Amino acid sequence: MVALLLLFLTLPVAVFTKDPKCPDGFLHFKRTPTAKNNHTKNWCVKVFSYSNTGNRDYARSVCIANHAMLTIPENRAEYEAIGEFVRKNNYSAPHAIDGELSSRCKARYLHKWFDTNTVEGECNIKKNLFMFDDINTDPSYILTKFGNRVPSGGGEMSVAESSPKLIFLYGCMVLTQTHLHGNEKALSFANLEWCGGKAHSKNSVGPESLVDSVVCGKHPE
Ligand SMILES: *[C@@H]1O[C@H](CO)[C@@H](O)[C@H](O)[C@H]1NC(C)=O
Ligand SMILES: *[C@@H]1O[C@H](CO)[C@@H](O)[C@H](O)[C@H]1NC(C)=O
């Protein structure tokens, strides 16, 4: 609670600084302020290497520990700069980024599959299929960068004959293809992973996602 309060108190100072400066190690992106990115002109981004950031709360925690939040590249130039950063540091893809299937759409999708590109209403990919932590980044660009249909994966299993069919969906956004250089032209670099991370024991069955880095963003200081 105290840490959260402090974070909110320090943000306005950052915003009104004349010469925005990102903390050491963060990339500095100049942005076109719009209603869709909370009128953000400057944004700082860093990729952190940390085990099991496929678990969405762990990914969030790594950002919070660095006084930042989950974020995503807003355009091609930001994606390429992030790629350069991860290649320089030898981090392997995928990287956890902001964006998670809304719980309402997820429930509806588990019940009955539908095409998120054409469905009417809030669960259309152009509407509110995804929820974002970060309001300072416009997600429009990344939403056009999925190579697979969305949601891209999932499955079902039965633990025992009498048990309900257990259905799971990959619903957390990740960034991929960052090993490619700009001139290799990766056309799609958004994907989805299961939000639960790695299995906690060797014998557990079911999904797991292997993500060991996370993209965090914050206002300049
Ligand atoms: C939105 O932008 C304003 C002004 O730049 C800033 O003070 C505020 O912290 C931002 N909101 C969030 C949730 O980051
Ligand atoms: C990345 O890997 C290359 C080749 O293996 C190595 O030369 C370089 O020092 C590594 N860089 C870092 C930051 O670990």
Side-chain angles (χ1 to χ4, degrees), residues 87-90:
R87 288 193 297 275
K88 206 160 68 192
N89 288 283
N90 294 339

Side-chain angles (χ1 to χ4, degrees), residues 31-41 74 134-139 219:
R31 287 181 166 175
T32 309
T34 68
K36 286 187 166 177
N37 70 8
N38 187 31
H39 305 282
T40 297
K41 287 188 185 140
E74 201 178 64
D134 171 18
I135 70 160
N136 306 293
T137 300
D138 178 0
H219 284 292

